[in-house]
Amino acid sequence: MIIEIAKWTLIAFGIFFIFVGGIMLFKPTVARETLRKAGSTNLINYGEITIRMIPATALIIFSDHSKYPEFFKLFGWFMLLTSIVLYFIPKRLHHSFSNKCADILKPIYFQLISPFSILIGIVIIQSVV
């Protein structure tokens, strides 16, 4: 049953990547403003980190059943460990970093990288079904 939950979590994760890719493509200013909010409040900061750990754990759990087991396991552990590290980074540093990134990433850049997000989502879904 845990494998099935992990599978559906990863399908939702893939859909999330596709959805975010669509936002970046069609509403790049919304994507940029969302990036600016990262780490802005305790709820957003720790909520974001905690939610990120769910698909990370699913990647690890489902890795042996996926089409790319080594990649899933490596990517899952990377996401999980970086999430744990982010718990100990002061919220203001996280927020400052996201604002600096948003300053660099102009809306046109979000549109240019949006196909990669969509492709990642598709690959994740195809890797688990």
Side-chain angles (χ1 to χ4, degrees), residues 13-38:
F13 190 45
I15 292 168
F16 172 75
F17 264 93
I18 294 167
F19 177 73
V20 169
I23 290 173
M24 290 191 305
L25 182 61
F26 298 112
K27 299 276 189 184
T29 55
V30 171
R32 189 176 190 203
E33 290 309 310
T34 302
L35 178 58
R36 286 192 187 284
K37 292 178 184 175

Side-chain angles (χ1 to χ4, degrees), residues 52-112:
R52 188 182 132 132
M53 295 172 93
I54 295 168
T57 304
L59 282 162
I60 296 165
I61 291 169
F62 197 79
S63 63
D64 291 335
H65 303 279
S66 74
K67 292 180 182 167
Y68 308 104
E70 296 83 16
F71 179 76
F72 268 47
K73 195 167 283 184
L74 180 67
F75 187 51
W77 279 111
F78 176 79
M79 281 180 62
L80 190 60
L81 293 174
T82 56
S83 296
I84 292 168
V85 168
L86 280 172
Y87 272 126
F88 299 100
I89 302 292
K91 175 183 65 137
R92 63 178 170 71
L93 283 176
H94 187 192
H95 185 58
S96 174
F97 178 74
S98 67
N99 277 313
K100 286 179 187 173
C101 290
D103 290 340
I104 293 168
L105 293 171
K106 305 299 181 208
I108 187 68
Y109 299 147
F110 281 97
Q111 291 176 310
L112 291 172

